[in-house]
């Protein structure tokens, strides 16, 4: 062992010992397998490295705190040692947010899984950030309530903190909102060990809000440890509608008419022909071409009114009624496309370049990305539009390279070049980097393009909270951390 290796080992032992005193020595590890697990997520890069039996960029030590006070103490220790901190919930993200390119501490938050309260008067729930979203949903369902956040990652252990850290969406976001819209307040641990809680409600005039600053920060400002979320009554009824259109443009115009009339279906999913065919390979819908599926839910009388009105709007816009069965079948099997057996996997190269924009830009955005993938990149392209806003919508589109380079380095380089091309189109067309998967490490290099001079404002806010840049470094495009030597 060289003198430097000896010094590094001594510093690591000191870090492990201090962390063990806080979280319990049984909840600290330096085992390679545990560190690899903590670094892994569902990004293509992580899956490709694992497929080729190549190492992921890992932390030096894993710590699993049991409560918010322990999280704050871990951050204090990290600052004392100059060690980066990489938070992780269920690891269901797709943007490389759990990679640890600068080493440090992998912070496993899954022990923060308690439900503190379910308020049936105010329709709120307060729970730890590490709770599995499916477990939380089951608990509030027993009270006749729902969080109504149903992400495709639900079966992969997605957690409440992950919902908020990446500004995630569930399939019913058109009516119920994204996770950020459901959040009333959060508790968070900030460096170098402060615990803060935002006001009890998000709607106030008490100055700028910490809540919208922490939500979407992906662990780069601190660690969300607890959240109070809005709930809704379980719907009394659901109705399903399905329509066909001659072109994607026709479908977009019809969906726009629904939204600008201010109807709020729980779900509205418009598939292009390739997207419908891809879905049909997993869920037998019995339809093809350009397909719009709609789900309305809530009070029976409102559902009846809304579904009839939406049907009239869509038919008037050129939609052909296909009845309720395809949409009902999709709803009942909605998680099937995201299961491990059905999801794409390496060596295929793939990516979801979802973005949102205003209605006037959607047709151009779709055409440009489809053309770039199929004509310029020689890959496959599928798309659907599935999160709708009063002003626009999200395009959930994917590229697939079925015969990638065998060499892992070449495959990684091709993956990144495709992202460069499609992200440039997103931004040039007036869309944003991402709608609901977050930025992580994968999209960080585009943040200056997204924000312009505003990015320096964001970086300045981060420096004021985390002057050494130790919180989840390498994510959101922020500069490299100020590291202590060695760890």
């Amino acid at each position: 062992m060289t003198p430097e290796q000896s010094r590094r080992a001594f510093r690591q032992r000191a870090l492990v010992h201090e962390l063990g005193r806080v979280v319990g020595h049984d909840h600290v590890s330096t085992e390679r397998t545990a560190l690899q697990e903590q670094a892994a997520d569902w990004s293509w890069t992580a899956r490709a490295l694992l497929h080729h039996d190549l190492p992921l960029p890992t932390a030096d030590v894993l710590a699993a705190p049991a409560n918010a006070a322990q999280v704050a103490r871990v951050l204090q220790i990290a600052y004392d040692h100059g060690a980066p901190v990489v938070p992780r919930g269920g690891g269901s993200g797709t943007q490389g947010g759990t990679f640890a390119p600068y080493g440090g501490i992998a912070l496993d938050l899954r022990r923060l899984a308690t439900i503190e309260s379910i308020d049936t008067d105010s329709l709120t729930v307060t729970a730890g950030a590490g709770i599995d979203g499916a477990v939380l949903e089951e608990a509030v369902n027993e009270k006749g309530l729902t969080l109504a956040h149903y992400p495709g990652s639900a079966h992969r252990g997605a957690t409440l903190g992950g919902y908020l850290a990446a500004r995630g969406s569930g399939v019913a976001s058109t009516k119920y909102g994204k996770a950020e819209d459901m959040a009333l307040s959060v508790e968070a641990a900030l460096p170098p060990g402060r615990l803060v809680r935002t006001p009890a409600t998000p709607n106030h005039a008490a100055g700028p809000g910490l809540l919208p600053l922490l939500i979407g920060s992906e662990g780069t400002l601190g660690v969300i440890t607890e959240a109070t979320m809005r709930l809704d009554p379980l719907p009394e009824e659901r109705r399903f509608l399905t329509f066909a259109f001659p072109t994607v443009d026709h479908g977009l115009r019809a969906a726009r008419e629904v939204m600008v009339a201010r109807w709020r279906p729980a779900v509205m999913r418009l598939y292009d022909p390739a997207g419908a065919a891809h879905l049909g390979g997993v869920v037998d819908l019995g339809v093809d071409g350009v397909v719009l599926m709609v789900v309305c839910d809530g009070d029976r009388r409102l559902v009846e009114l809304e579904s009839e009105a939406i049907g009239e709007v869509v038919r008037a816009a050129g939609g052909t009624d296909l009845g309720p069965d395809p949409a009902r079948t999709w709803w009942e099997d909605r998680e099937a496309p995201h299961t491990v057996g059905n999801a794409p996997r390496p060596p295929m190269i793939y990516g979801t370049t979802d973005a949102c924009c205003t209605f006037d830009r959607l047709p151009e955005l779709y055409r440009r990305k489809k053309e770039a993938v199929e004509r310029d990149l020689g890959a496959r392209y599928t798309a659907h539009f599935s999160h709708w806003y009063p002003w626009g919508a999200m395009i959930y589109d994917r590229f697939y390279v079925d015969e990638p380079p065998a060499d892992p380095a070449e495959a990684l380089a091709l993956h990144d070049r495709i992202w460069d091309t499609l992200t440039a189109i997103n931004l040039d067309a007036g869309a944003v980097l991402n709608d609901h998967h977050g930025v992580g490490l994968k999209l960080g290099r585009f943040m200056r393009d997204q924000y312009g001079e505003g990015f320096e404002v964001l970086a300045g806010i981060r420096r004021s909270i985390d002057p050494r840049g130790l919180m989840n470094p390498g994510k959101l495009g922020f500069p490299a951390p100020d590291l202590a030597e060695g760890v």
Side-chain angles (χ1 to χ4, degrees):
M1 182 180 291
T2 67
E4 174 50 35
Q5 288 172 328
S6 176
R7 288 191 293 268
R8 180 183 178 87
F10 181 84
R11 289 192 295 268
Q12 186 182 50
R13 283 196 298 272
L15 183 62
V16 167
H17 181 71
E18 290 191 42
L19 290 172
R21 291 182 59 214
V22 171
V23 305
H25 293 287
D26 290 343
H27 300 291
V28 177
S29 177
T30 58
E31 292 294 324
R32 180 181 180 276
T33 300
L35 295 174
Q36 286 280 303
E37 178 186 310
Q38 285 297 299
D41 67 358
W42 283 90
S43 65
W44 178 85
T45 300
R47 298 295 115 186
L49 290 173
L50 292 171
H51 172 77
H52 290 288
D53 198 26
L54 295 172
L56 299 174
T58 69
D60 301 293
V61 57
L62 179 156
N67 54 54
Q70 289 184 7
V71 174
R73 283 285 291 120
V74 170
L75 299 195
Q76 184 178 56
I77 292 169
Y79 249 69
D80 289 345
H81 285 260
V85 177
V86 183
R88 185 184 191 270
S92 62
T94 61
Q95 312 294 62
T98 53
F99 288 0
Y102 301 99
I105 302 168
L107 190 65
D108 183 347
L109 298 170
R110 288 174 292 181
R111 295 178 69 203
L112 278 67
T114 58
I115 297 176
E116 297 298 326
S117 67
I118 299 174
D119 183 342
T120 56
D121 286 333
S122 305
L123 301 195
T124 67
V125 60
T126 299
I131 191 167
D132 184 304
V135 173
L136 179 60
E137 180 67 14
E138 183 178 354
V140 300
N141 287 171
E142 292 175 358
K143 303 287 188 179
L145 302 170
T146 177
L147 184 60
H149 187 74
Y150 314 119
S153 57
H155 65 286
R156 292 178 181 167
T159 60
L160 176 59
Y163 293 172
L164 297 173
R167 301 179 73 169
S169 282
V171 297
S173 70
T174 298
K175 176 177 180 177
Y176 295 99
K178 299 177 67 175
E180 64 201 76
D181 302 311
M182 303 172 182
L184 301 184
S185 67
V186 300
E187 175 191 69
L190 308 183
R194 298 167 289 180
L195 267 181
V196 302
R197 187 179 292 274
T198 67
T201 68
N203 303 102
H204 58 76
L210 278 176
L211 182 65
L213 184 64
L214 293 170
I215 292 176
S217 62
E218 301 188 26
T220 62
L221 302 179
V223 180
I224 295 173
T225 54
E226 185 179 271
T228 299
M229 307 292 287
R230 184 201 80 216
L231 300 173
D232 282 278
L234 280 169
E236 180 183 12
E237 185 169 334
R238 283 194 180 92
R239 288 201 181 183
F240 303 92
L241 309 168
T242 316
F243 303 92
F245 294 92
T247 69
V248 169
D249 281 3
H250 283 85
L252 287 171
R253 285 196 292 270
R256 174 196 171 276
E257 291 298 316
V258 172
M259 296 307 296
V260 300
R262 296 306 186 243
W263 298 109
R264 296 298 294 271
V267 179
M268 194 160 61
R269 297 174 76 89
L270 175 68
Y271 287 82
D272 78 348
H278 182 80
L279 178 63
V282 178
V283 179
D284 184 11
L285 301 178
V287 295
D288 54 21
V290 179
V291 179
L292 176 68
M293 297 187 294
V294 181
V295 182
C296 298
D297 72 9
D299 179 275
R300 177 184 56 78
R301 293 162 296 179
L302 291 176
V303 169
E304 181 178 357
L305 173 64
E306 184 175 56
S307 59
E308 289 180 358
I310 289 174
E312 291 174 4
V313 168
V314 174
R315 285 189 294 270
T320 300
D321 198 329
L322 300 179
D325 290 345
R328 180 184 290 111
T329 298
W330 169 82
W331 175 261
E332 292 172 351
D333 292 335
R334 64 189 181 276
E335 291 188 4
H338 304 284
T339 60
V340 174
N342 290 325
R345 53 189 179 272
M348 174 193 289
I349 299 175
Y350 55 87
T352 303
T353 63
D354 62 299
C356 63
C357 62
T358 49
F359 287 122
D360 60 316
R361 300 173 186 270
L362 275 174
E364 175 197 3
L365 180 61
Y366 168 71
R367 282 192 292 270
R368 288 182 62 184
K369 290 210 282 183
K370 177 178 171 63
E371 183 177 89
V373 171
E374 294 179 343
R375 187 193 69 183
D376 301 337
L377 300 172
R380 288 191 295 118
Y381 180 81
T382 66
H384 66 262
F385 305 80
S386 55
H387 301 278
W388 299 82
Y389 304 94
W391 40 262
M394 185 272 315
I395 178 173
Y396 187 108
D397 54 343
R398 267 188 178 162
F399 64 85
Y400 303 85
V401 179
D402 295 310
E403 298 182 5
D407 179 78
E410 291 182 19
L412 286 163
L414 176 58
H415 171 268
D416 291 347
R417 288 197 301 272
I418 294 174
W419 272 99
D420 288 347
T421 298
L422 297 180
T423 302
I425 293 173
N426 279 341
L427 296 179
D428 185 63
V432 292
L433 278 182
N434 192 264
D435 176 78
H436 64 270
H437 288 113
V439 174
L441 189 66
K442 182 165 70 180
L443 299 180
R445 65 187 185 276
F446 305 110
M447 285 286 279
R448 291 182 186 275
D449 296 329
Q450 175 74 84
Y451 283 98
E453 288 299 316
F455 182 76
E456 293 303 326
V457 177
L458 291 176
I461 292 171
R462 190 212 185 194
R463 284 192 296 272
S464 71
I465 296 172
D466 178 18
R468 298 189 66 179
L470 297 179
M471 297 305 302
N472 210 7
K475 319 303 162 45
L476 296 185
F478 289 134
D482 174 17
L483 296 178
E485 183 183 357
V487 177

